[in-house]
PDB file of all heavy atoms in Angstrom:
ATOM      1  N   HIS A 516       9.445 -22.819  11.531  1.00 95.00           N
ATOM      2  CA  HIS A 516       9.125 -21.677  12.379  1.00 95.00           C
ATOM      3  C   HIS A 516      10.316 -21.140  13.125  1.00 95.00           C
ATOM      4  O   HIS A 516      11.122 -21.848  13.733  1.00 95.00           O
ATOM      5  CB  HIS A 516       8.073 -22.097  13.433  1.00 95.00           C
ATOM      6  CG  HIS A 516       7.369 -20.965  14.047  1.00 95.00           C
ATOM      7  ND1 HIS A 516       8.030 -20.137  14.932  1.00 95.00           N
ATOM      8  CD2 HIS A 516       6.087 -20.414  13.924  1.00 95.00           C
ATOM      9  CE1 HIS A 516       7.206 -19.140  15.338  1.00 95.00           C
ATOM     10  NE2 HIS A 516       6.041 -19.295  14.741  1.00 95.00           N
ATOM     11  N   ASP A 539       9.773 -20.607   3.265  1.00 98.00           N
ATOM     12  CA  ASP A 539       9.176 -20.504   1.941  1.00 98.00           C
ATOM     13  C   ASP A 539       9.864 -21.404   0.930  1.00 98.00           C
ATOM     14  O   ASP A 539       9.203 -21.943   0.013  1.00 98.00           O
ATOM     15  CB  ASP A 539       9.159 -19.010   1.424  1.00 98.00           C
ATOM     16  CG  ASP A 539      10.533 -18.379   1.519  1.00 98.00           C
ATOM     17  OD1 ASP A 539      11.133 -18.377   2.594  1.00 98.00           O
ATOM     18  OD2 ASP A 539      11.042 -17.873   0.447  1.00 98.00           O
ATOM     19  N   ALA A 542       8.398 -24.793   1.468  1.00 98.00           N
ATOM     20  CA  ALA A 542       7.064 -24.858   0.891  1.00 98.00           C
ATOM     21  C   ALA A 542       7.072 -25.030  -0.615  1.00 98.00           C
ATOM     22  O   ALA A 542       6.376 -25.852  -1.193  1.00 98.00           O
ATOM     23  CB  ALA A 542       6.284 -23.552   1.263  1.00 98.00           C
ATOM     24  N   ARG A 543       7.989 -24.306  -1.233  1.00 97.00           N
ATOM     25  CA  ARG A 543       8.073 -24.379  -2.720  1.00 97.00           C
ATOM     26  C   ARG A 543       8.607 -25.717  -3.200  1.00 97.00           C
ATOM     27  O   ARG A 543       8.369 -26.119  -4.289  1.00 97.00           O
ATOM     28  CB  ARG A 543       8.889 -23.187  -3.267  1.00 97.00           C
ATOM     29  CG  ARG A 543       8.240 -21.859  -3.112  1.00 97.00           C
ATOM     30  CD  ARG A 543       8.882 -20.817  -4.018  1.00 97.00           C
ATOM     31  NE  ARG A 543      10.289 -20.565  -3.628  1.00 97.00           N
ATOM     32  CZ  ARG A 543      10.709 -19.639  -2.733  1.00 97.00           C
ATOM     33  NH1 ARG A 543       9.767 -18.929  -2.082  1.00 97.00           N
ATOM     34  NH2 ARG A 543      11.929 -19.515  -2.459  1.00 97.00           N
ATOM     35  N   LEU A 546       6.503 -28.975   0.669  1.00 98.00           N
ATOM     36  CA  LEU A 546       6.112 -29.308   2.019  1.00 98.00           C
ATOM     37  C   LEU A 546       4.937 -28.376   2.376  1.00 98.00           C
ATOM     38  O   LEU A 546       4.958 -27.179   2.189  1.00 98.00           O
ATOM     39  CB  LEU A 546       7.182 -29.086   3.008  1.00 98.00           C
ATOM     40  CG  LEU A 546       6.871 -29.415   4.489  1.00 98.00           C
ATOM     41  CD1 LEU A 546       6.812 -30.911   4.722  1.00 98.00           C
ATOM     42  CD2 LEU A 546       7.815 -28.717   5.461  1.00 98.00           C
ATOM     43  N   LEU A 548       2.005 -27.427   5.415  1.00 98.00           N
ATOM     44  CA  LEU A 548       1.504 -27.526   6.796  1.00 98.00           C
ATOM     45  C   LEU A 548       0.073 -26.968   6.887  1.00 98.00           C
ATOM     46  O   LEU A 548      -0.130 -25.853   6.602  1.00 98.00           O
ATOM     47  CB  LEU A 548       2.455 -26.800   7.748  1.00 98.00           C
ATOM     48  CG  LEU A 548       1.917 -26.697   9.219  1.00 98.00           C
ATOM     49  CD1 LEU A 548       1.748 -28.028   9.877  1.00 98.00           C
ATOM     50  CD2 LEU A 548       2.918 -25.795  10.044  1.00 98.00           C
ATOM     51  N   GLY A 558      -7.910  -8.389   4.304  1.00 92.00           N
ATOM     52  CA  GLY A 558      -7.946  -7.667   3.030  1.00 92.00           C
ATOM     53  C   GLY A 558      -7.383  -8.495   1.866  1.00 92.00           C
ATOM     54  O   GLY A 558      -7.473  -8.074   0.705  1.00 92.00           O
ATOM     55  N   SER A 571       4.493 -17.908  -6.871  1.00 95.00           N
ATOM     56  CA  SER A 571       5.817 -17.940  -6.277  1.00 95.00           C
ATOM     57  C   SER A 571       6.531 -19.267  -6.625  1.00 95.00           C
ATOM     58  O   SER A 571       7.790 -19.352  -6.445  1.00 95.00           O
ATOM     59  CB  SER A 571       5.726 -17.896  -4.694  1.00 95.00           C
ATOM     60  OG  SER A 571       5.242 -19.080  -4.194  1.00 95.00           O
ATOM     61  N   ARG A 572       5.816 -20.241  -7.144  1.00 95.00           N
ATOM     62  CA  ARG A 572       6.439 -21.547  -7.533  1.00 95.00           C
ATOM     63  C   ARG A 572       6.927 -21.504  -8.958  1.00 95.00           C
ATOM     64  O   ARG A 572       7.566 -22.468  -9.416  1.00 95.00           O
ATOM     65  CB  ARG A 572       5.491 -22.655  -7.345  1.00 95.00           C
ATOM     66  CG  ARG A 572       5.279 -23.020  -5.871  1.00 95.00           C
ATOM     67  CD  ARG A 572       3.989 -23.800  -5.629  1.00 95.00           C
ATOM     68  NE  ARG A 572       3.939 -24.291  -4.243  1.00 95.00           N
ATOM     69  CZ  ARG A 572       3.663 -23.623  -3.161  1.00 95.00           C
ATOM     70  NH1 ARG A 572       3.485 -22.363  -3.251  1.00 95.00           N
ATOM     71  NH2 ARG A 572       3.672 -24.213  -1.989  1.00 95.00           N
ATOM     72  N   ASN A 607      -9.196 -16.412   6.123  1.00 96.00           N
ATOM     73  CA  ASN A 607      -9.495 -16.719   7.560  1.00 96.00           C
ATOM     74  C   ASN A 607     -10.126 -15.592   8.351  1.00 96.00           C
ATOM     75  O   ASN A 607     -10.382 -15.731   9.538  1.00 96.00           O
ATOM     76  CB  ASN A 607      -8.200 -17.197   8.282  1.00 96.00           C
ATOM     77  CG  ASN A 607      -7.655 -18.511   7.701  1.00 96.00           C
ATOM     78  OD1 ASN A 607      -8.503 -19.396   7.349  1.00 96.00           O
ATOM     79  ND2 ASN A 607      -6.392 -18.619   7.539  1.00 96.00           N
ATOM     80  N   GLU A 619      -7.790 -24.594   4.935  1.00 97.00           N
ATOM     81  CA  GLU A 619      -6.417 -25.187   4.927  1.00 97.00           C
ATOM     82  C   GLU A 619      -6.342 -26.363   3.897  1.00 97.00           C
ATOM     83  O   GLU A 619      -5.380 -26.444   3.140  1.00 97.00           O
ATOM     84  CB  GLU A 619      -6.066 -25.716   6.330  1.00 97.00           C
ATOM     85  CG  GLU A 619      -5.910 -24.661   7.403  1.00 97.00           C
ATOM     86  CD  GLU A 619      -4.702 -23.727   7.118  1.00 97.00           C
ATOM     87  OE1 GLU A 619      -3.566 -24.209   7.284  1.00 97.00           O
ATOM     88  OE2 GLU A 619      -4.910 -22.581   6.703  1.00 97.00           O
ATOM     89  N   GLN A 622      -6.246 -25.140   0.362  1.00 97.00           N
ATOM     90  CA  GLN A 622      -4.909 -24.654  -0.021  1.00 97.00           C
ATOM     91  C   GLN A 622      -4.048 -25.877  -0.347  1.00 97.00           C
ATOM     92  O   GLN A 622      -3.274 -25.856  -1.316  1.00 97.00           O
ATOM     93  CB  GLN A 622      -4.321 -23.836   1.103  1.00 97.00           C
ATOM     94  CG  GLN A 622      -5.047 -22.598   1.361  1.00 97.00           C
ATOM     95  CD  GLN A 622      -4.482 -21.720   2.449  1.00 97.00           C
ATOM     96  OE1 GLN A 622      -3.267 -21.524   2.485  1.00 97.00           O
ATOM     97  NE2 GLN A 622      -5.307 -21.296   3.383  1.00 97.00           N
TER      98      GLN A 622
ATOM     99  N   GLU B1632       3.579 -14.562  13.160  1.00 94.00           N
ATOM    100  CA  GLU B1632       2.767 -15.659  12.807  1.00 94.00           C
ATOM    101  C   GLU B1632       2.148 -15.567  11.408  1.00 94.00           C
ATOM    102  O   GLU B1632       2.116 -16.479  10.625  1.00 94.00           O
ATOM    103  CB  GLU B1632       1.685 -15.939  13.857  1.00 94.00           C
ATOM    104  CG  GLU B1632       2.170 -16.352  15.180  1.00 94.00           C
ATOM    105  CD  GLU B1632       3.071 -17.634  15.137  1.00 94.00           C
ATOM    106  OE1 GLU B1632       2.706 -18.592  14.434  1.00 94.00           O
ATOM    107  OE2 GLU B1632       4.110 -17.681  15.806  1.00 94.00           O
ATOM    108  N   PHE B1635       4.901 -16.003   8.860  1.00 97.00           N
ATOM    109  CA  PHE B1635       5.259 -17.408   8.787  1.00 97.00           C
ATOM    110  C   PHE B1635       4.182 -18.174   7.978  1.00 97.00           C
ATOM    111  O   PHE B1635       4.528 -19.023   7.158  1.00 97.00           O
ATOM    112  CB  PHE B1635       5.387 -17.918  10.191  1.00 97.00           C
ATOM    113  CG  PHE B1635       5.711 -19.470  10.221  1.00 97.00           C
ATOM    114  CD1 PHE B1635       6.834 -19.943   9.620  1.00 97.00           C
ATOM    115  CD2 PHE B1635       4.842 -20.356  10.845  1.00 97.00           C
ATOM    116  CE1 PHE B1635       7.160 -21.311   9.704  1.00 97.00           C
ATOM    117  CE2 PHE B1635       5.087 -21.704  10.848  1.00 97.00           C
ATOM    118  CZ  PHE B1635       6.190 -22.203  10.285  1.00 97.00           C
ATOM    119  N   TYR B1636       2.950 -17.929   8.315  1.00 98.00           N
ATOM    120  CA  TYR B1636       1.822 -18.629   7.623  1.00 98.00           C
ATOM    121  C   TYR B1636       1.978 -18.343   6.074  1.00 98.00           C
ATOM    122  O   TYR B1636       1.867 -19.337   5.314  1.00 98.00           O
ATOM    123  CB  TYR B1636       0.548 -18.036   8.088  1.00 98.00           C
ATOM    124  CG  TYR B1636      -0.712 -18.686   7.543  1.00 98.00           C
ATOM    125  CD1 TYR B1636      -1.139 -19.922   7.957  1.00 98.00           C
ATOM    126  CD2 TYR B1636      -1.512 -18.038   6.594  1.00 98.00           C
ATOM    127  CE1 TYR B1636      -2.265 -20.579   7.436  1.00 98.00           C
ATOM    128  CE2 TYR B1636      -2.604 -18.628   6.078  1.00 98.00           C
ATOM    129  CZ  TYR B1636      -3.034 -19.871   6.522  1.00 98.00           C
ATOM    130  OH  TYR B1636      -4.127 -20.435   6.051  1.00 98.00           O
ATOM    131  N   GLN B1638       4.651 -17.443   4.394  1.00 98.00           N
ATOM    132  CA  GLN B1638       5.858 -18.112   3.896  1.00 98.00           C
ATOM    133  C   GLN B1638       5.677 -19.585   3.659  1.00 98.00           C
ATOM    134  O   GLN B1638       6.144 -20.197   2.761  1.00 98.00           O
ATOM    135  CB  GLN B1638       7.032 -17.871   4.852  1.00 98.00           C
ATOM    136  CG  GLN B1638       7.659 -16.522   4.742  1.00 98.00           C
ATOM    137  CD  GLN B1638       8.877 -16.470   5.603  1.00 98.00           C
ATOM    138  OE1 GLN B1638       8.799 -16.281   6.792  1.00 98.00           O
ATOM    139  NE2 GLN B1638      10.054 -16.654   5.005  1.00 98.00           N
ATOM    140  N   GLN B1639       4.810 -20.187   4.616  1.00 98.00           N
ATOM    141  CA  GLN B1639       4.604 -21.618   4.493  1.00 98.00           C
ATOM    142  C   GLN B1639       3.850 -21.954   3.194  1.00 98.00           C
ATOM    143  O   GLN B1639       3.836 -23.120   2.730  1.00 98.00           O
ATOM    144  CB  GLN B1639       3.792 -22.116   5.722  1.00 98.00           C
ATOM    145  CG  GLN B1639       4.100 -23.559   6.071  1.00 98.00           C
ATOM    146  CD  GLN B1639       3.823 -24.551   5.023  1.00 98.00           C
ATOM    147  OE1 GLN B1639       2.661 -24.659   4.498  1.00 98.00           O
ATOM    148  NE2 GLN B1639       4.793 -25.338   4.630  1.00 98.00           N
ATOM    149  N   ARG B1640       3.212 -20.997   2.628  1.00 98.00           N
ATOM    150  CA  ARG B1640       2.538 -21.265   1.382  1.00 98.00           C
ATOM    151  C   ARG B1640       3.438 -21.006   0.116  1.00 98.00           C
ATOM    152  O   ARG B1640       2.998 -21.066  -0.997  1.00 98.00           O
ATOM    153  CB  ARG B1640       1.288 -20.404   1.278  1.00 98.00           C
ATOM    154  CG  ARG B1640       0.246 -20.676   2.387  1.00 98.00           C
ATOM    155  CD  ARG B1640      -0.105 -22.148   2.479  1.00 98.00           C
ATOM    156  NE  ARG B1640      -1.142 -22.414   3.459  1.00 98.00           N
ATOM    157  CZ  ARG B1640      -1.028 -23.197   4.511  1.00 98.00           C
ATOM    158  NH1 ARG B1640       0.138 -23.827   4.736  1.00 98.00           N
ATOM    159  NH2 ARG B1640      -1.980 -23.357   5.340  1.00 98.00           N
ATOM    160  N   GLY B1641       4.706 -20.527   0.409  1.00 98.00           N
ATOM    161  CA  GLY B1641       5.665 -20.353  -0.662  1.00 98.00           C
ATOM    162  C   GLY B1641       6.084 -18.924  -0.903  1.00 98.00           C
ATOM    163  O   GLY B1641       7.003 -18.691  -1.728  1.00 98.00           O
ATOM    164  N   LEU B1642       5.451 -17.946  -0.249  1.00 96.00           N
ATOM    165  CA  LEU B1642       5.854 -16.584  -0.513  1.00 96.00           C
ATOM    166  C   LEU B1642       7.109 -16.256   0.269  1.00 96.00           C
ATOM    167  O   LEU B1642       7.318 -16.694   1.390  1.00 96.00           O
ATOM    168  CB  LEU B1642       4.716 -15.627  -0.074  1.00 96.00           C
ATOM    169  CG  LEU B1642       3.347 -15.849  -0.619  1.00 96.00           C
ATOM    170  CD1 LEU B1642       2.372 -14.772  -0.073  1.00 96.00           C
ATOM    171  CD2 LEU B1642       3.409 -15.716  -2.152  1.00 96.00           C
ATOM    172  N   THR B1643       7.983 -15.482  -0.364  1.00 94.00           N
ATOM    173  CA  THR B1643       9.170 -15.003   0.407  1.00 94.00           C
ATOM    174  C   THR B1643       8.698 -14.005   1.391  1.00 94.00           C
ATOM    175  O   THR B1643       7.545 -13.506   1.403  1.00 94.00           O
ATOM    176  CB  THR B1643      10.163 -14.277  -0.542  1.00 94.00           C
ATOM    177  OG1 THR B1643       9.508 -13.130  -1.071  1.00 94.00           O
ATOM    178  CG2 THR B1643      10.632 -15.204  -1.708  1.00 94.00           C
ATOM    179  N   LEU B1650       2.127  -8.412   0.360  1.00 92.00           N
ATOM    180  CA  LEU B1650       0.715  -8.860   0.245  1.00 92.00           C
ATOM    181  C   LEU B1650      -0.087  -8.399   1.421  1.00 92.00           C
ATOM    182  O   LEU B1650      -1.237  -7.999   1.317  1.00 92.00           O
ATOM    183  CB  LEU B1650       0.644 -10.441   0.090  1.00 92.00           C
ATOM    184  CG  LEU B1650      -0.648 -10.980  -0.500  1.00 92.00           C
ATOM    185  CD1 LEU B1650      -0.964 -10.444  -1.852  1.00 92.00           C
ATOM    186  CD2 LEU B1650      -0.570 -12.513  -0.528  1.00 92.00           C
ATOM    187  N   GLY B1654      -3.208  -5.955   1.305  1.00 92.00           N
ATOM    188  CA  GLY B1654      -4.445  -6.353   1.940  1.00 92.00           C
ATOM    189  C   GLY B1654      -4.999  -5.250   2.811  1.00 92.00           C
ATOM    190  O   GLY B1654      -6.185  -4.930   2.872  1.00 92.00           O
ATOM    191  N   ASN B1657      -6.334  -2.504   0.659  1.00 87.00           N
ATOM    192  CA  ASN B1657      -7.133  -2.975  -0.489  1.00 87.00           C
ATOM    193  C   ASN B1657      -8.549  -2.392  -0.623  1.00 87.00           C
ATOM    194  O   ASN B1657      -8.925  -1.917  -1.661  1.00 87.00           O
ATOM    195  CB  ASN B1657      -7.266  -4.490  -0.359  1.00 87.00           C
ATOM    196  CG  ASN B1657      -7.369  -5.126  -1.740  1.00 87.00           C
ATOM    197  OD1 ASN B1657      -7.202  -4.506  -2.739  1.00 87.00           O
ATOM    198  ND2 ASN B1657      -7.725  -6.355  -1.728  1.00 87.00           N
TER     199      ASN B1657
END
Side-chain angles (χ1 to χ4, degrees):
Chain A
H516 195 289
D539 51 304
R543 292 196 296 272
L546 181 76
L548 170 61
S571 75
R572 286 158 169 78
N607 295 320
E619 293 295 287
Q622 295 180 47
Chain B
E1632 290 305 317
F1635 175 62
Y1636 183 75
Q1638 280 187 280
Q1639 210 301 304
R1640 300 305 184 241
L1642 304 181
T1643 63
L1650 198 59
N1657 211 11

